[in-house]
Amino acid sequence: MDTQISNKRKLQPLKIGDLEIKVPIFQGGMGIGVSLSGLAAAVAACGGAGIISAAQIGFMESDFEENTLEANLRALKRNVTDALKKSAGAGGAIGVNIMCAVRHYEEFVKASIEAGAHMIISGAGLPMNLPGIVPDTQAKLIPIVSSARAAGLIIKTWLKRYDRLPDAIVFEGPEAGGHLGFKPEELDSAQHNFYRTIEEIREEIGKGIEAANKAVKQTIPLIVAGGIYSREDIDKAMEHGADGVQMSTRFVTTEECDVHPDFKQAYIDAGKEDIVIVKSPVGMPGRAIANTFVKRTMQGRIPPESCNGCLTHCRPDTTPYCITKALINAAVGDLENGLIFCGSNAWRADRITTVKEIFDELTGENATVEGGSEEV
Ligand SMILES: Cc1cc2nc3c(=O)[nH]c(=O)nc-3n(C[C@H](O)[C@H](O)[C@H](O)COP(=O)(O)O)c2cc1C
């Protein structure tokens, strides 16, 4: 493996406007409580992009139940500040993932930028209004899409409403973890078309850059996510037009990942057959480990005990279960009552590793070949 990597091209830095990220690897935002400042800082310290998930990020604050919004905004700012401080000068970047489906979306965007986040990455819906919330920001605004159509729609809308283009685009395919932007019956065909979709999004990007009609042509880097696990996966995505990749599942089983150790162990213990598609109250399918909680949700509704109104479209009186409670339970290690989101590759983890070990493997740095270590 190391010998193979040493023969490959060095990964090139990713330029998003004036933001240069030394290694073109994003660690995707993982809520609730899976990617906080610990993981994001470790990734940025290796030169990648560490993404903090804003989803219910204040769940450990003492006033979370009664003061949810304030607790979330306080914890969000603290996590961004900490991650920036811990990774300063390493050539990486810190971003915040904010789902369009959350209530108080605008407040989360503004708080992230006030705290100094380099990027806002936003999916689970189309972030049509994002540039209007922070019109003068230098932070990079990056939508997540699941199709070329969605990419085209965002590009056209942002141009028309705000005379601007996305700074980059993340394309997330159906092998991803957490909520998926596909109907269950679309998953197989979407995976079949994964690489073609990368090329189609590139075409939409090309059309958008032309339509922008600016004297200086902007680039829109494309970051590809969903099932990317090895250097071979990265190279293949790049051969089809990706400028960078986003990986999440791979980073869960690291020492630095912020989630409870039992959550990480569940990945290590899972077999391929344990990874399933679940229904989520968000209204999209999700991918998770089929633990006792998931099996209980399949038998009937688990009425929420309380509600802090986290999602715009959730109806507490009909929701199949409370997604916030289920994800918080998992984050703190109550797996009996927790939803363990994961990507399709979670079964491949066989031990706890470190972020640096993963970066060394993926970039080929410190790769040893017969006769000693080799520059790549
Ligand atoms: C545990 C977990 C939680 C996630 N939570 C979120 C989230 O809150 N918001 C979001 O946009 N994506 C979320 N995702 C999706 C990831 O950010 C990422 O794009 C995707 O999982 C990449 O595929 P991979 O896991 O195969 O690398 C989550 C993924 C996982 C595994």
Side-chain angles (χ1 to χ4, degrees), residues 170-193:
V170 174
F171 162 52
E172 195 185 80
E175 301 283 309
H179 292 113
L180 305 171
F182 304 90
K183 296 191 183 114
E185 63 275 17
E186 292 171 348
L187 291 171
D188 284 346
S189 66
Q191 187 52 31
H192 181 74
N193 293 330

Side-chain angles (χ1 to χ4, degrees), residues 27-32 34 53 55 97-99 121-124 144 170 172-173 175-179 225-229 246-250 252 263 267 340-345:
Q27 154 263 307
M30 290 179 276
I32 294 174
V34 183
S53 164
N97 177 298
I98 310 171
M99 292 188 290
I121 296 110
S122 210
I144 304 176
V170 174
E172 195 185 80
E175 301 283 309
H179 292 113
I228 309 280
Y229 206 82
Q246 171 164 296
M247 304 169 64
S248 294
T249 298
R250 184 80 202 261
V252 170
F263 187 112
Y267 274 41
I340 309 167
F341 270 156
C342 69
S344 64
N345 280 320

